[in-house]
Amino acid sequence: MRIARQLAGILATGYILVYYSEFLFWARVRPGDSLLEWASSWLVYSVMAFVFLSLLARFRVSSIWALFLAGAAFGWLLEGLVVQTTYENLPLSISFTALSWHALITIWAGWYALRRALAAGPGATLLWAAAIGLFYGFWAISWWVEPDGGVALPLDFARFALLTSLPLVIAYWVYDRTVPGYFAPSRSAEIVVAVLLALYFVVVAVRAAPAAAIVLPLLLGALFLALRRHGRLASQESLLTGPARAAPGWRTLCLLALPLTAIAFYSVAYLLGLRWPTNWIVYFVTMPLGFVLLIVSFVKVWRMKSDRLLTTPEGQG
């Protein structure tokens, strides 16, 4: 029963991660997309979810700064290992999209902030969901001005947004009832996953992008040293520990404010005929921000002098 709960929690986490990293990013049905393709992406992200959750547990990640480093590991494994976009435009591609999207939006906003909002109450949930939905709609219209994008009708966007968001509501509900109190990294599973990722790195990633042989080990090595230091000094439980009681099921329905807000913004932009390069706006804001947050996170972790780490953003010094 415990194994089944852990598996369900990993799959739920995987869907939360694939939603923000893939579905929200692409914001439309692309040529070649299919349910099988989406399911395959979900499974890949579930493997990465296991790695991410294991990092949180092993290194007792209990601050948002250490969380950003774990999110950076998640992002660089995706963009530097599974695909090789990290090496396409060095050094800027170190941040976009591994730091500026995966660590910042997927992990900080989607996995962390929205779950905290769920625990805080319906008002906070609606506020955070609507804020992310507004960003979703703002980003989605960027594909209208991209050569490989196109202008999807509001109805088509609404269908895509709702189709992918309804499982997200279920994923948050399942996560709250499986991961906190049940997830514990398995050493044997970690070894198997590490070996498979290492083989993929040598056979696929390095051949596709030789720079990966130097860049990725350096990036992940720096993260490992920082997270290991955090794990040695932190005494609090990791962020995997949830509230005493999971948020009531009806509250997760407040998450529908996310796609509904995105659909509303998208529809208004369509009616007004807006053709804004919002992707460049997001890029010029989040790309440098990713580097800044990475540096701040390293400094915060390395300056730790005691095991008293606060877990709320308001308490970070």
Side-chain angles (χ1 to χ4, degrees):
M1 186 62 178
R2 186 179 183 88
I3 295 178
R5 280 182 177 268
Q6 292 197 50
L7 180 59
I10 292 170
L11 291 173
T13 307
Y15 192 85
I16 293 172
L17 301 185
V18 76
Y19 177 86
Y20 293 101
S21 291
E22 297 292 331
F23 298 145
L24 193 150
F25 182 87
W26 294 111
R28 70 198 192 281
V29 178
R30 295 174 295 162
D33 276 352
S34 65
L35 290 177
L36 180 60
E37 180 71 20
W38 289 355
S40 299
S41 297
W42 179 19
L43 290 178
V44 171
Y45 273 84
S46 294
V47 174
M48 293 300 150
F50 172 77
V51 175
F52 171 68
L53 295 176
S54 296
L55 288 176
L56 300 189
R58 291 293 182 192
F59 297 112
R60 310 187 75 167
V61 172
S62 55
S63 73
I64 60 170
W65 306 114
L67 176 62
F68 191 85
L69 296 182
F74 161 69
W76 284 331
L77 284 173
L78 282 172
E79 301 298 334
L81 178 63
V82 179
V83 294
Q84 292 77 48
T85 57
T86 295
Y87 321 106
E88 290 180 351
N89 188 27
L90 293 170
L92 301 183
S93 53
I94 289 176
S95 176
F96 196 87
T97 57
L99 303 179
S100 63
W101 194 284
H102 295 299
L104 179 60
I105 297 171
T106 300
I107 299 302
W108 259 20
W111 180 85
Y112 178 72
L114 199 49
R115 285 194 309 104
R116 284 182 60 85
L118 271 170
T125 305
L126 287 170
L127 182 62
W128 266 102
I132 296 175
L134 186 63
F135 170 81
Y136 186 3
F138 182 79
W139 168 266
I141 67 173
S142 69
W143 294 110
W144 296 352
V145 297
E146 287 296 302
D148 59 343
V151 181
L153 295 174
L155 183 59
D156 293 330
F157 176 74
R159 187 182 298 114
F160 173 83
L162 289 174
L163 176 65
T164 54
S165 296
L166 289 175
L168 180 70
V169 174
I170 299 173
Y172 278 108
W173 185 90
V174 172
Y175 180 98
D176 280 345
R177 289 155 179 79
T178 53
V179 175
Y182 289 95
F183 179 82
S186 164
R187 180 64 68 183
S188 58
E190 288 175 329
I191 292 174
V192 170
V193 171
V195 169
L196 292 176
L197 293 179
L199 288 174
Y200 187 90
F201 176 70
V202 173
V203 175
V204 178
V206 173
R207 289 187 177 182
I214 298 175
V215 175
L216 191 61
L218 287 176
L219 295 176
L220 295 181
L223 292 178
F224 172 77
L225 293 176
L227 289 173
R228 185 177 64 173
R229 174 178 175 80
H230 182 280
R232 288 176 174 176
L233 297 178
S235 64
Q236 294 187 9
E237 294 181 333
S238 75
L239 294 174
L240 293 179
T241 304
R245 296 180 60 183
W250 63 266
R251 191 180 299 169
T252 58
L253 295 177
C254 295
L255 296 173
L256 292 176
L258 193 163
L260 294 177
T261 304
I263 293 167
F265 183 95
Y266 189 97
S267 300
V268 171
Y270 182 86
L271 292 174
L272 294 177
L274 301 181
R275 294 295 184 271
W276 295 345
T278 55
N279 54 338
W280 285 105
I281 298 174
V282 172
Y283 177 83
F284 284 123
V285 172
T286 62
M287 186 276 293
L289 182 59
F291 282 120
V292 170
L293 291 175
L294 180 68
I295 294 171
V296 171
S297 297
F298 271 120
V299 171
K300 291 285 186 179
V301 170
W302 281 107
R303 289 179 60 186
M304 290 171 56
K305 297 183 182 301
S306 71
D307 57 5
R308 295 182 178 180
L309 285 177
L310 301 178
T311 61
T312 60
E314 297 80 8
Q316 301 304 317

